[in-house]
Amino acid sequence: MFAVSSLANAAGPRPADMLLDKSDPLVIRWSVSASKKKLCSETYPIPEAAKHWTNCASGEFSQCGGPVECSCSDADDKLVWYHCKEGDYARCEDDQLCKEGDSD
């Protein structure tokens, strides 16, 4: 029991956390924006069966790097949604327009 309580104390609040008023709306907004977004492959996992789906056509796509709720692994990728007869899925894909924007 002693080892468990000492581990809990070791994993306690960090000094910087103790200085922040976590009820302050500015702190809450900063915490959310500072948190790292999930990868789109985690947010929108591709169904295993999708490789056999038929009549697929690309539809909507995100901004470079991914939509607000997730990020692509490369900044020059966009999340592209596919609509198939059997269902829909999304995946990040390379987009030349994102690369061209980097050279400005």
Side-chain angles (χ1 to χ4, degrees):
M1 182 174 223
F2 175 74
V4 172
S5 64
S6 65
L7 286 175
N9 291 336
R14 297 173 299 204
D17 291 340
M18 291 185 283
L19 298 175
L20 298 175
D21 176 5
K22 293 184 178 155
S23 64
D24 184 338
L26 291 174
V27 171
I28 294 169
R29 207 172 315 135
W30 173 80
S31 310
V32 171
S33 64
S35 64
K36 187 176 179 185
K37 292 196 281 186
K38 284 181 134 182
L39 287 175
C40 290
S41 59
E42 296 172 17
T43 304
Y44 296 103
I46 300 173
E48 182 65 31
K51 59 186 165 190
H52 302 292
W53 288 358
T54 58
N55 299 330
C56 296
S58 61
E60 305 81 37
F61 55 89
S62 73
Q63 63 194 14
C64 296
V68 174
E69 63 272 12
C70 63
S71 62
C72 294
S73 57
D74 292 323
D76 58 352
D77 286 358
K78 289 184 177 183
L79 185 68
V80 180
W81 282 266
Y82 285 89
H83 307 286
C84 307
K85 179 180 169 185
E86 296 82 0
D88 301 335
Y89 68 93
R91 71 173 178 217
C92 289
E93 294 183 358
D94 191 43
D95 189 310
Q96 290 295 333
L97 295 175
C98 294
K99 289 180 182 176
E100 291 171 8
D102 291 341
S103 62
D104 289 343

